[in-house]
Amino acid sequence: MSRRAPTQFPFGHLTADAGASADPVLVEIVQGSLASVEMEVETAIGRTSRSPMIRDAHDFRAGIHDRLLRKLTGRSYSALVHPVARDFPIEEMREGDVFFHNDVYRSEGGIGHLPDLCVTVPVFSGGTVVAFVQAFGHHDDIGGAVPGSMPSNATSVFEEGLMVPPIRLWDAGVPNKAALAIMTRNSRMPESLAADLDAECSACLMGARRLGELFDRYGVETVESCFDAIISRTTETYRREILSQIPVGSWVWEDYAEHDGVDEPMLHTQRITLTRTAADDPDGERLILDFDGTSPQAKGPINHCGDYSDGVFLKKWLAPILRNLADSPERMAELDVNEGIVPLIEMRFPEPGTLLTPVFPAPTNARTFVILRLLGVLAGVVAKAVDGRMPADQETIRYTGVYGEDLEGRPYLMREVLGGGSGGRYYADGEDTIHVVPDSRNLPTEFTEARFPFRVESLSLAVDSGGAGRFRGGLGYEKHIRMLKDGHFMSIADRSILACWGVKGGLAGQPFQVTIDPGGPAEREVDALADAEPIKAGEVVRIRTTGGGGWGNPLERDPALVVRDVVWRKVSPAAALASYGVVLTGSLDDDSLSFDEVATAAERADRPAPSEAFFDRGPGYAALAADGSAYAAVDLV
């Protein structure tokens, strides 16, 4: 339980036979209808919004919740309805109402930083609220100290932009023009903000009408019985197929953010003690995640407000990691994460004042450094419990961008969410250039070159960025941007010192790196947290994103696969020898590349035994560790 006093909400608690009376065919119809409405809402937002971050990068999500505030859809994460229900009695809501908030500290953990704006629309049937349709996304600018509302050296949330607690943005179908005027006045991109909000409000209102038709067709009691069945089925599926893969016991592991934008780089610890309880435990069979040992809150903006509403947002955020324990990749893809996973996870937070329990007004705009790292910490601690049958690490989101005045003298801001390589798995290599936000993408070159004063000279895979292993880590991006006019570069990124870790003998991937004017007279590296790095017209910005960690000893990788990777330009010839011990023969130029079987066997036989550590963190860890060690004590199994 959270040690922060929990806010009381009208939660429903499923009994063992909840939803048992629902017609199974109708349950499938209702579940399909929910997915259809959610997709229709997201499609409408994508087609009618204006900002590149929402329309083109697709950094937004929709979700459907019932009147008990339970998340029903499971395709991806979403924000929470809890703060709206806390501040506005459900019985006083009216058709056409739209609620809005982005206040991190008043969001019950559902909003991580101020650019994430959330709209919530109640669904009515027979004049009564029966559900909610919600959308939230990352918007270009909501004010604050720097363009994009993510100042890397912020020491207070007041520097990060306009905070709006839950308000009624539309009242029975009538927009609150005063509130909209205040928000757009505080944004450097008011037209885009106004258009995006209109798109999100209209899409959610449309979704509410669609969902209301479902209740009108089948009746409230019948549909709610189907909701119970959907959630109960998720609970039982995860208990049977996922929890059963983790033995009873306790394990501890930790990982780190490397810098906070204010202090010098250091190890900002996020620790999880995982306990798998037995079926006869008095409080039931479940996973306990204890975050004791997590570092004090940072001076800079890497804090995340996780300890609200008993961590219900974090439970749903972290649960997708557990799907890796499914019997097959195909089964993994079938498993939804909805409110049904909540009873299976108990969270125990440290006292207020840590990275996960920050005290207002601690800054939070770079909280991705914490919540993304927690995905890896959970994967790592589960890997210790299941002998490595989990993927290696990945870091698949960071914000880069340029801003200034375009060729006509008008101000512009280009923000992009670039992905990276995912970790190698016990059965396959990692995937290249994935994004942690489902359906999100890098910005199309044709669009950015037409709108902003730069040219994208290349966009490719970053060779050798994936960690070596029996199963190689996925590769990150390499992107070259040539400026046509003086401007400024910005970056909110982690993993520039600490790499994505490898597991069970696999090696860490390559870290994030930004270089301006590579190979030129003014070549310089840019810090991963940068607000306003000057770049001159004609200079090139080279961005290399992270590669995923490797899985398993790279000397056990099939040499033929290493040859294939060299042919595909994923691994360099030098790395084939240095990382995999493969002695190449022939040439890439005439398609004769192969390997010398005898020489490769001899080369591999002369290599030293693998490290005793279960995880490989790369050379950056020793640079930040107080004792200069290559690994932490928790890395041993």
Side-chain angles (χ1 to χ4, degrees), residues 432-454:
D432 302 324
T433 58
I434 69 165
H435 296 241
V436 73
V437 179
D439 301 327
S440 67
R441 62 204 68 177
N442 59 301
L443 293 179
T445 296
E446 296 81 2
F447 164 76
T448 55
E449 289 187 339
R451 186 161 177 173
F452 305 117
F454 60 75

Side-chain angles (χ1 to χ4, degrees), residues 484-606:
L484 302 179
K485 187 175 181 179
D486 291 359
H488 293 87
F489 175 81
M490 57 169 50
S491 172
I492 299 291
D494 202 19
R495 290 299 199 208
S496 64
I497 302 172
L498 301 172
C500 296
W501 43 264
V503 66
K504 208 172 182 182
L507 302 183
Q510 291 297 309
F512 175 80
Q513 182 188 50
V514 175
T515 306
I516 293 181
D517 197 28
E523 178 176 340
R524 60 198 186 277
E525 284 201 25
V526 177
D527 193 87
L529 278 172
D531 291 333
E533 178 70 23
I535 36 178
K536 298 291 186 181
E539 288 187 323
V540 171
V541 181
R542 183 183 68 196
I543 304 166
R544 289 177 174 166
T545 68
T546 51
W551 194 99
N553 188 344
L555 300 182
E556 297 176 1
R557 185 169 178 82
D558 184 344
L561 295 180
V562 177
V563 172
R564 181 203 66 182
D565 288 342
V566 174
V567 171
W568 286 356
R569 271 67 173 183
K570 292 190 175 187
V571 173
S572 67
L577 178 62
S579 299
Y580 293 97
V582 173
V583 180
L584 299 175
T585 62
S587 172
L588 276 170
D589 297 331
D590 59 7
D591 296 328
S592 65
L593 192 72
S594 186
F595 71 97
D596 186 314
E597 187 173 352
V598 175
T600 295
E603 176 69 29
R604 288 180 166 185
D606 287 341

Side-chain angles (χ1 to χ4, degrees), residues 191 218 312 347 404 594:
E191 295 86 2
Y218 297 110
V312 69
M347 292 193 163
S594 186

Side-chain angles (χ1 to χ4, degrees), residues 156-180:
S156 164
V157 71
F158 294 110
E159 301 171 59
E160 299 178 319
L162 181 69
M163 283 183 288
V164 184
I167 63 171
R168 188 179 266 112
L169 188 61
W170 289 33
D171 189 347
V174 179
N176 184 335
K177 294 183 179 179
L180 288 167

Side-chain angles (χ1 to χ4, degrees), residues 333-358:
E334 293 173 351
L335 296 179
D336 284 343
V337 174
N338 57 36
E339 207 74 20
I341 62 91
V342 170
L344 300 178
I345 301 174
E346 177 186 339
M347 292 193 163
R348 297 178 180 175
F349 292 96
E351 295 290 344
T354 71
L355 291 173
L356 275 176
T357 60

Side-chain angles (χ1 to χ4, degrees), residues 240-247 276 325-327 385-386 389:
R240 181 179 64 254
E241 299 186 26
I242 303 300
L243 262 65
S244 64
Q245 303 297 319
I246 303 175
R276 161 67 153 90
L325 295 173
D327 287 340
V386 299
R389 192 172 169 266

